[in-house]
Amino acid sequence: MPPLPTPTPKELLMRVRKFIPPLLETMHKGQQGRVAVIGGSEDYTGAPFFSANASALMGADMSHVICEPQAAQVIKAYSPNIMVHPYMRQSHHREKGTDTAEEISTKIEEMLDRLHAIVIGPGLGRDSLMQDTAKLIIEAAKKKGMPFVVDADGLFLVQNHPSVVQNYTHAILTPNKAEFERLCKTMKIEPSHGDETEVCSRLAKAFGGVTIIQKGSKDYISNGKHTMVCDLKGGLKRSGGQGDTLTGCLVTFLAWKKAYQDRLWKHDNSLSDSELIALSAFGASAMTRNCSRLAYEKKGRALQAFDLSLEVGQAFKNLFESEDPKL
């Protein structure tokens, strides 16, 4: 029997549309998504904001940032639309004899029951207390069966402690080229042996079915069994922070996955859990690339990460509200 044809980008985007919840009068606050970005240190305040802001602009009802107090005041000044919680601690800001990773994570774990999905890593930094706390939060999310995205210095945590995501198929890792190569080294995979599709699949398989989005000129998406490529046109400027739009869009799709599975509106319930995760990854990749293209057309070399945020609404219309997706 010949293999089934690979779905086109338009066909994949039409499948993504199936689990985007409609805006209905019967829905109440929070049902369109409650998400949180966990990160944000005194040196890195932009990344968690860009991620949470993208989730809000995508349509999540409630977007939180859980960060270090030194970052919280700055992020609160960026926007009143993001709820900011100064619960994380860097080692040099901890109270003597208190503020252990266990104490800090307990307060954050109490919030997880009110959330649908989380991002771990934007602006997290590599401070040992921040890293240890993030590890405990991931373990708590796994116990609850919660989907999560790991990015930036969250990937440094995975690089050093791969068991934290091993075999957890509701986790999505979003490495850039350098981060991907470091993860390959951790899992004893040679990134130059095979094409990008094969290597991405091998890495996902080595992690036991974790979904990988390998970012680059094309985005390779794999869970070890199925691999997709998102090669929609993006912008040519590679400024820092564009990946935060990806994580914000992605965590919103993961929240919508929960709404779909809870049958909050009438639908055919034809998408499996693994399909929903894969389509979330593809949808977020397509959103980010479309935002990048739109922003680059306006700003050219002057493009910065915030310019992608300004295009989230238009990119969503292009891909998911037009009769024919505008790629």
Side-chain angles (χ1 to χ4, degrees):
M1 182 176 179
L4 294 173
T6 302
T8 67
K10 284 188 177 182
E11 288 170 338
L12 288 168
L13 291 171
M14 295 304 291
R15 288 168 66 185
V16 173
R17 291 185 184 200
K18 295 181 69 172
F19 73 96
I20 296 175
L23 294 170
L24 303 175
E25 291 183 355
T26 55
M27 286 189 172
H28 58 73
K29 181 177 71 175
Q31 288 187 314
Q32 290 281 338
R34 301 188 297 271
V35 304
V37 179
I38 299 170
S41 58
E42 64 180 342
D43 291 332
Y44 305 111
T45 60
F49 167 73
F50 289 137
S51 181
N53 192 46
S55 75
L57 293 170
M58 264 277 287
D61 282 344
M62 306 174 76
S63 296
H64 302 258
V65 170
I66 303 172
C67 62
E68 222 274 347
Q70 299 295 317
Q73 295 303 317
V74 178
I75 296 170
K76 286 180 180 181
Y78 291 154
S79 171
N81 297 316
I82 308 300
M83 290 163 280
V84 184
H85 310 273
Y87 298 159
M88 297 289 281
R89 288 290 185 279
Q90 290 173 262
S91 298
H92 59 285
H93 291 153
R94 71 197 304 175
E95 294 291 332
K96 188 174 182 180
T98 62
D99 287 342
T100 64
E102 290 76 12
E103 290 170 334
I104 297 165
S105 65
T106 297
K107 183 181 295 186
I108 298 168
E109 288 166 20
E110 291 171 355
M111 291 185 62
L112 296 184
D113 287 334
R114 309 199 303 269
L115 302 171
H116 297 129
I118 58 175
V119 182
I120 303 103
L124 183 71
R126 299 187 178 185
D127 174 81
S128 60
L129 182 56
M130 295 281 277
Q131 289 273 315
D132 291 346
T133 304
K135 185 174 184 289
L136 291 173
I137 294 167
I138 288 175
E139 296 290 359
K142 286 163 55 180
K143 289 178 182 178
K144 296 178 183 296
M146 174 179 284
F148 58 80
V149 182
V150 184
D151 186 49
D153 281 322
L155 295 171
F156 180 75
L157 170 64
V158 173
Q159 175 188 327
N160 292 319
H161 304 281
S163 63
V164 75
V165 297
Q166 187 74 37
N167 300 322
Y168 190 69
T169 57
H170 289 95
I172 302 181
L173 312 184
T174 58
N176 59 25
K177 179 177 174 59
E179 292 163 341
F180 183 83
E181 290 177 353
R182 289 195 289 267
L183 289 173
C184 283
K185 183 178 180 181
T186 294
M187 304 307 288
K188 296 180 172 52
I189 292 171
E190 177 50 61
S192 63
H193 290 177
D195 65 24
E196 288 92 341
T197 305
E198 294 170 354
V199 178
C200 186
S201 178
R202 286 208 301 272
L203 182 61
K205 193 175 295 183
F207 274 113
V210 169
T211 296
I212 307 287
I213 304 178
Q214 182 188 358
K215 300 179 292 190
S217 57
K218 299 178 182 179
D219 293 341
Y220 296 90
I221 302 165
S222 183
N223 64 2
K225 295 181 179 178
H226 305 287
T227 303
M228 299 180 289
V229 180
C230 186
D231 57 359
L232 304 186
K233 185 177 180 181
L236 297 178
K237 179 70 184 296
R238 301 288 186 262
S239 64
Q242 295 185 54
D244 299 313
T245 294
L246 173 68
T247 59
C249 293
L250 180 51
V251 75
T252 305
F253 277 122
L254 292 176
W256 289 344
K257 165 185 172 296
K258 178 73 163 59
Y260 176 88
Q261 292 175 320
D262 286 348
R263 306 291 291 271
L264 296 187
W265 72 97
K266 291 183 179 179
H267 56 72
D268 62 11
N269 201 34
S270 61
L271 297 174
S272 68
D273 192 70
S274 62
E275 285 179 294
L276 288 165
I277 291 174
L279 291 171
S280 293
F282 187 87
S285 172
M287 275 290 298
T288 307
R289 298 178 79 87
N290 203 266
C291 287
S292 175
R293 177 178 65 79
L294 293 171
Y296 181 72
E297 288 172 354
K298 294 178 180 179
K299 295 296 185 72
R301 287 181 179 273
L303 179 147
Q304 296 295 300
F306 186 71
D307 296 315
L308 270 69
S309 303
L310 301 177
E311 304 299 337
V312 169
Q314 185 59 54
F316 188 84
K317 289 181 180 179
N318 288 348
L319 299 176
F320 304 114
E321 294 183 336
S322 300
E323 288 188 17
D324 183 32
K326 298 175 182 176
L327 309 183

